[in-house]
Amino acid sequence: MADLSPKVDVHHHIVLDFYKQVLSGIDLSAKIKYPSWSPEASLAFMDDHHIDTAILSLSAPGAVIAGSRDHVRALVRKWNDYASELCSAHPSRFGFFAALPGLDDLEGAMSEIGYVFQSLQADGVTLFTSYAGQYLGAKAFEPVWAELDKFHAVVQVHPNHSFAAPFTTPFLPQPLIDYPHETARTASDLVLSGRKRQFPSCKVILSHAGGTLPYLADRISVLSATIFAGILDNEQSPRGSEQVMEGLKSFYFDLALGGSSTVLDLLINWAPHDRILYGSDFPFAGGAGECFEATLESYRMDSQVRKLSMTTFPKAGWTAAAAAAAAAAAAAAAAAAAAAAAAALESIKEGTWDNIWGLMENVEFVSVSQKQFMESHRTMNARARLSQEQRPSHTNATLSESMSSIKD
């Protein structure tokens, strides 16, 4: 029987034309044909599969393939602005994981994190499994994790091409085997380096059911605490196999291309049930996605576990309805601020300064220049009032008279 429960899809890609243009001519060894995409295609897919809300993201290989740092930063900003506008147009249907420059561009990554959370209200960010030959637990990336932790960020970790396993045969494209391994590698690196414990406010989602991590978890936890105990020698590293296992289970796991009965048996028996999330991998999954989707729908799963995994997004207070309400509230607040600003500016034109600043005190200015404009006139008015106190006959001076008194 098909599962008709409404879902939250945490693994849903958009493929924009300008991104495909950058990809053209680049040999990724995987021979992946990048699919066509449109907002209408996503919405139709969501309706067909009973998906209430999809969290949009950039797929591999990510923006780093744009070349120079300036080109990467420009591509990232263009993608994020587009995703934000699409979410604003469909606030109950879409959220988005923001794209970032490569983490080896520390300045660019830090700047974009501030922008997407403070200006675009992103639902999280996408990180790829490695950058410049380093996995995500690298000391060099610690400032990025600190910044993400400050925002209590949801972080989607998506696999990318492995620097540790270069292309060797056309019969083994990296997404076939290496992508799941890459996910396990970077997740283990985050735990064993202590980075995961160091920044507990980040909620990290591992794509594709965690790759090979659930299968290797016992091996990783036991061997890292015994044979290779020396690697757990920094202040943040877990102590002993139990803490290692606790760290490995602290991730969230989406089910994109992970809906086989073998994977579901393993994941449900190993991972905390509130850490299992639904993902479709649209539009890349294609027919493979439909196959896994059919298995997932028919899989014998406890009804509460199914409901939890199909409808959870690990952001405090987040639901599709709450996201739509927040977007509507933000729009109403912006409209109210604009109306208040317009009223105040009209009062300035008429020369009636009384209570103007009081009117503006609680307005969130839509631009720095507007605020500077108001503050400069506030200073001018204060000086005018001081002059008026010295000249009582001008108590009811108009704005032009006040300006004249400043010159006196």
Side-chain angles (χ1 to χ4, degrees):
M1 180 179 177
D3 174 25
L4 301 182
S5 302
K7 306 179 184 79
V8 175
D9 183 356
V10 303
H11 195 131
H12 192 111
H13 298 300
I14 60 177
V15 186
L16 302 178
D17 287 342
F18 64 81
Y19 182 57
K20 291 173 71 173
Q21 289 172 5
V22 174
L23 289 169
S24 63
I26 295 178
D27 183 9
L28 299 175
S29 80
K31 306 303 180 185
I32 297 173
K33 182 179 180 180
Y34 281 80
S36 299
W37 176 87
S38 68
E40 295 74 21
S42 274
L43 291 168
F45 174 86
M46 292 161 65
D47 291 341
D48 289 344
H49 293 80
H50 309 284
I51 297 169
D52 272 5
T53 304
I55 312 300
L56 309 173
S57 61
L58 180 68
S59 186
V64 294
I65 47 85
S68 70
R69 286 191 171 184
D70 287 344
H71 288 159
V72 170
R73 292 179 183 184
L75 189 153
V76 162
R77 182 59 60 88
K78 187 174 183 179
W79 192 96
N80 287 334
D81 286 343
Y82 176 89
S84 176
E85 291 171 5
L86 182 59
C87 292
S88 296
H90 305 275
S92 67
R93 304 306 307 272
F94 294 132
F96 79 105
F97 290 128
L100 296 180
L103 300 196
D104 52 317
D105 176 12
L106 192 59
E107 180 184 358
M110 298 283 280
S111 175
E112 197 67 17
I113 289 170
Y115 174 70
V116 299
F117 284 117
Q118 294 174 331
S119 298
L120 302 186
Q121 288 74 53
D123 295 289
V125 300
T126 295
L127 296 183
F128 293 97
T129 42
S130 66
Y131 296 92
Q134 297 187 89
Y135 290 113
L136 294 179
K139 182 70 174 176
F141 302 152
E142 184 176 348
V144 174
W145 285 107
E147 189 72 1
L148 291 170
D149 195 71
K150 183 177 74 176
F151 288 105
H152 295 252
V154 180
V155 180
Q156 179 202 46
V157 174
H158 195 284
N160 209 347
H161 274 45
S162 171
F163 65 87
F167 174 66
T168 56
T169 168
F171 301 107
L172 294 177
Q174 289 213 12
L176 198 64
I177 295 175
D178 290 294
Y179 274 23
H181 289 333
E182 285 296 280
T183 301
R185 287 187 183 107
T186 207
S188 300
D189 190 52
L190 283 167
V191 171
L192 299 177
S193 68
R195 214 64 66 217
K196 188 72 168 62
R197 296 180 71 194
Q198 187 178 358
F199 301 110
S201 295
C202 292
K203 299 176 177 65
V204 183
I205 304 173
L206 301 180
S207 298
H208 309 305
T212 53
L213 183 67
Y215 179 81
L216 295 172
D218 285 316
R219 179 185 177 92
I220 295 166
S221 62
V222 173
L223 269 63
S224 64
T226 54
I227 298 175
F228 305 109
I231 65 176
L232 306 178
D233 60 356
N234 67 60
E235 183 179 348
Q236 298 295 336
S237 291
R239 297 290 180 261
S241 61
E242 289 187 4
Q243 287 192 5
V244 173
M245 182 62 80
E246 180 182 341
L248 298 177
K249 289 186 176 184
S250 69
F251 295 100
Y252 291 81
F253 306 87
D254 80 42
L255 295 176
L257 296 180
S260 73
S261 57
T262 303
V263 171
L264 290 170
D265 284 345
L266 175 59
L267 190 62
I268 289 173
N269 286 326
W270 177 76
H273 292 165
D274 62 350
R275 301 284 168 142
I276 301 173
L277 312 173
Y278 173 77
S280 70
D281 211 350
F282 179 85
F284 288 92
E290 295 295 339
C291 177
F292 286 118
E293 187 81 16
T295 303
L296 177 61
E297 290 180 352
S298 62
Y299 183 80
R300 296 178 65 86
M301 188 188 304
D302 179 85
S303 60
Q304 291 303 312
V305 175
R306 181 179 292 276
K307 181 178 180 180
L308 191 64
S309 64
M310 295 299 113
T311 60
T312 297
F313 181 68
K315 183 178 178 181
W318 192 97
T319 64
L345 293 174
E346 187 63 31
S347 295
I348 292 172
K349 293 177 183 178
E350 296 173 0
T352 56
W353 277 95
D354 289 344
N355 299 321
I356 288 177
W357 194 259
L359 177 65
M360 299 300 291
E361 283 289 348
N362 297 318
V363 171
E364 183 175 347
F365 288 86
V366 296
S367 70
V368 173
S369 60
Q370 188 182 70
K371 186 172 185 178
Q372 290 173 338
F373 175 77
M374 289 299 298
E375 287 178 341
S376 67
H377 280 283
R378 184 188 193 188
T379 301
M380 293 167 64
N381 188 47
R383 293 174 63 190
R385 286 187 182 280
L386 179 61
S387 179
Q388 289 168 20
E389 290 173 0
Q390 297 169 350
R391 300 189 299 171
S393 60
H394 293 158
T395 302
N396 297 318
T398 64
L399 177 60
S400 60
E401 290 171 333
S402 296
M403 293 293 289
S404 297
S405 69
I406 292 173
K407 300 177 182 178
D408 294 341

